[in-house]
Amino acid sequence: MRLSRYFLPVLKETPAEAQIVSHRYMLRAGMIKQQAAGIYSWLPLGFKVLRKIENIVHEEQQRAGHIPLLMPTLQPADLWRESGRYDDYGEEMLRIRDRHDRDMLYGPTNEEMITDIFRSHVSSYKDLPLTLYHIQWKFRDEIRPRFGVMRGREFYMKDGYNFDLTKEDALHAYNRHLVSYLRTYERMGLQAIPMRADSGPIGGDDTHEFLVLAETGESEVFYDSAVTDLTFGDREIDYDSVEQCQGVLEEFTSKYARTDETHDEALFNQIPEERRRVARGIEVGQIFYFGTKYSEAMGAEVQGPDGKKVPVHMGSHGIGVSRLLGAIIEASHDDKGIIWPEGVTPFHVGIVNLRQGDNETDAACEQLYKALTAAGLEPLYDDTNERAGGKFATMDLIGLPWRITVGPRGLKNGVVELTSRRTGDSEEMSLEAAIARVQEIYAPHMG
């Protein structure tokens, strides 16, 4: 993309309503525009990152054997009356009445609807196990929406639902989701710690939240610092293996890590004092096992091996796709702007032309632009007539991990400058070497 043809409405001043870093930088970098309290338009730069995150979530869900579908944003209230949640959910639910006087709601989650789909089409244990998921807009009418996309009313979420014959099978699905979530977050450059949590209105006894440590986190968290040394890395896991998935669960949840709702001071005090940590965390996902809560209420039964009908065991598993943008920025920024991890950056590299209109400089930038594009990368070429300082400030603000600077002085020596946004380190090299280096950096992120 050439910046002269792109829609990137960056702001020099920070809007007064932005209280935390991610909200400030998303507004200033022209990623979002507020349309109403807690409701945002996603402008091109923000939309590109949203899609990058969504694609990673899809890839890891399908790697784990989960099947995508798409459910509507509006749901009939009768389904929620069947489960008993319509009146229990509270004022966060946006209730609507259509022109035929039917009660509807803007979905905050989809347990009822997915259970209805399942009971309409599955009747035998031979069709199990089954995990269905979608990524869809949700709405929860927060009393005080704030912090931009971190606590909005409308948000984009992956929610998945497993259906299993037994509790043991459903707990394997739980473990399988935990493994897939660890992979998902690490691909985004995040360390998200699974912490014992409270189930809230979803219900159930087994649940973990995934939290990214950040000063602006809405949750107080208590943990053994040893959990921050754990990484999933590039290990291969057989998602059908009960033993392998259980092993990962035990590895990542055996150390103390809890949110304030489930914190146990006596257990916490058993950790060596030098490893006890109290911090803030941003929730970016949660997994639940809730047994037959919805299947019994809504008649989601299958015929078992003995010919008898039994309610299926279920769980639900969510990732806050839109919230993740804010979490990544909170975890990865400096006083100049965002620092995107390579896995989710909207553009792979910025090209800065220091003398637009100079034949040699223009030609070198065009060569870079075409070669990087041909290699399957997405450069953002600043071909505007903005002064050099302004170009650098924009690149720093929008946070592309790498920048190639092209100017007449360097070209006289046959070099351009490759700069790391994260470290600020620069290296002079030939055009060909810069192209090869950027390709090498992104090779692990190109599928």
Side-chain angles (χ1 to χ4, degrees):
M1 178 58 66
R2 298 171 192 272
L3 192 54
S4 61
R5 300 179 186 174
Y6 199 50
F7 182 59
L8 187 67
V10 297
L11 306 175
K12 288 187 168 58
E13 302 298 325
T14 299
E17 73 270 19
Q19 297 174 290
I20 62 171
V21 167
S22 58
H23 193 192
R24 290 200 298 269
Y25 283 153
M26 288 184 78
L27 289 170
R28 285 198 54 213
M31 299 180 72
I32 55 172
K33 182 187 184 303
Q34 180 170 305
Q35 303 299 155
I39 300 173
Y40 295 89
S41 288
W42 290 78
L43 306 183
L45 194 74
F47 186 57
K48 273 184 76 71
V49 183
L50 190 69
R51 282 285 177 256
K52 290 279 183 83
I53 291 172
E54 180 183 1
N55 288 340
I56 291 173
V57 173
H58 273 303
E59 288 166 9
E60 293 304 328
Q61 285 300 296
Q62 291 171 52
R63 187 195 298 268
H66 307 158
I67 303 167
L69 47 65
L70 185 63
M71 291 175 276
T73 56
L74 294 181
Q75 303 183 30
D78 286 346
L79 286 176
W80 287 65
R81 290 190 175 110
E82 272 193 75
S83 72
R85 281 208 300 174
Y86 185 69
D87 294 319
D88 292 346
Y89 204 87
E91 292 186 356
E92 282 191 356
M93 181 188 288
L94 183 63
R95 293 164 170 84
I96 306 162
R97 188 162 288 174
D98 70 13
R99 68 194 299 168
H100 301 291
D101 217 27
R102 290 178 294 224
D103 289 329
M104 309 287 287
L105 58 102
Y106 193 133
T109 183
N110 282 76
E111 281 80 9
E112 285 80 4
M113 185 167 281
I114 198 72
T115 304
D116 179 54
I117 291 170
F118 177 89
R119 71 183 178 184
S120 300
H121 299 287
V122 180
S123 57
S124 170
Y125 76 97
K126 295 178 182 179
D127 295 320
L128 302 180
L130 179 65
T131 295
L132 302 170
Y133 80 93
H134 74 157
I135 300 178
Q136 178 60 291
W137 292 101
K138 305 284 192 295
F139 192 92
R140 294 177 189 167
D141 203 2
E142 292 272 358
I143 189 169
R144 281 187 298 275
R146 54 200 174 120
F147 304 153
V149 301
M150 297 284 287
R151 194 166 183 173
R153 291 193 295 164
E154 186 184 56
F155 55 95
Y156 204 42
M157 178 178 164
K158 171 260 158 182
D159 45 320
Y161 306 90
N162 65 281
F163 301 88
D164 291 278
L165 183 63
T166 66
K167 178 177 181 179
E168 292 71 29
D169 292 342
L171 288 176
H172 173 55
Y174 185 96
N175 297 349
R176 193 173 65 239
H177 278 86
L178 181 134
V179 175
S180 69
Y181 278 25
L182 291 170
R183 284 187 57 98
T184 298
Y185 296 126
E186 285 195 14
R187 282 186 62 186
M188 297 175 191
L190 287 173
Q191 181 175 48
I193 302 169
M195 297 194 178
R196 177 66 65 181
D198 181 62
S199 62
I202 302 292
D205 298 324
D206 292 89
T207 181
H208 281 86
E209 281 182 2
F210 290 78
L211 289 108
V212 174
L213 299 176
E215 291 178 7
T216 50
E218 74 273 51
S219 301
E220 187 174 33
V221 296
F222 303 81
Y223 64 96
D224 181 339
S225 66
V227 301
T228 60
D229 298 328
L230 298 172
T231 56
F232 190 85
D234 57 1
R235 68 180 95 173
E236 287 297 324
I237 289 289
D238 178 1
Y239 281 104
D240 292 329
S241 168
V242 172
E243 293 76 17
Q244 285 189 37
C245 292
Q246 178 68 24
V248 174
L249 174 96
E250 290 172 0
E251 177 186 351
F252 280 84
T253 63
S254 59
K255 300 281 192 297
Y256 190 92
R258 296 194 178 200
T259 59
D260 49 0
E261 295 100 332
T262 59
H263 175 54
D264 185 320
E265 193 69 25
L267 284 176
F268 187 60
N269 288 334
Q270 293 176 18
I271 304 167
E273 188 174 357
E274 68 274 10
R275 298 207 321 249
R276 286 180 221 154
R277 298 287 186 275
V278 182
R280 309 295 298 179
I282 299 167
E283 182 202 342
V284 291
Q286 191 163 2
I287 56 178
F288 302 86
Y289 162 70
F290 43 66
T292 58
K293 174 180 175 176
Y294 295 93
S295 54
E296 285 187 351
M298 299 182 68
E301 298 176 326
V302 295
Q303 190 174 53
D306 59 1
K308 295 179 180 177
K309 285 193 171 184
V310 291
V312 290
H313 286 255
M314 294 175 59
S316 67
H317 316 276
I319 288 180
V321 176
S322 54
R323 168 178 269 242
L324 271 165
L325 272 85
I328 291 168
I329 295 169
E330 292 293 331
S332 186
H333 68 271
D334 61 17
D335 58 3
K336 296 178 182 176
I338 302 163
I339 306 173
W340 291 116
E342 279 83 357
V344 297
T345 181
F347 295 96
H348 297 108
V349 60
I351 301 172
V352 173
N353 186 335
L354 291 182
R355 188 170 295 175
Q356 193 68 36
D358 177 82
N359 289 339
E360 190 178 359
T361 312
D362 289 355
C365 288
E366 287 292 338
Q367 184 181 338
L368 276 170
Y369 183 76
K370 289 175 181 175
L372 290 165
T373 303
L377 296 165
E378 287 187 282
L380 178 64
Y381 172 23
D382 189 342
D383 59 345
T384 66
N385 291 314
E386 175 76 56
R387 59 182 177 80
K391 291 187 176 191
F392 290 142
T394 296
M395 286 293 176
D396 285 343
L397 174 62
I398 67 175
L400 307 188
W402 297 91
R403 185 186 77 224
I404 301 174
T405 305
V406 184
R409 187 180 304 171
L411 290 176
K412 283 181 182 176
N413 300 317
V415 297
V416 295
E417 189 176 69
L418 180 65
T419 303
S420 163
R421 173 70 180 89
R422 186 167 298 280
T423 66
D425 294 340
S426 295
E427 186 179 352
E428 289 187 338
M429 59 184 72
S430 68
L431 262 74
E432 293 75 18
I435 293 162
R437 178 73 182 113
V438 174
Q439 284 183 269
E440 179 188 4
I441 289 166
Y442 283 103
H445 304 281
M446 300 300 286

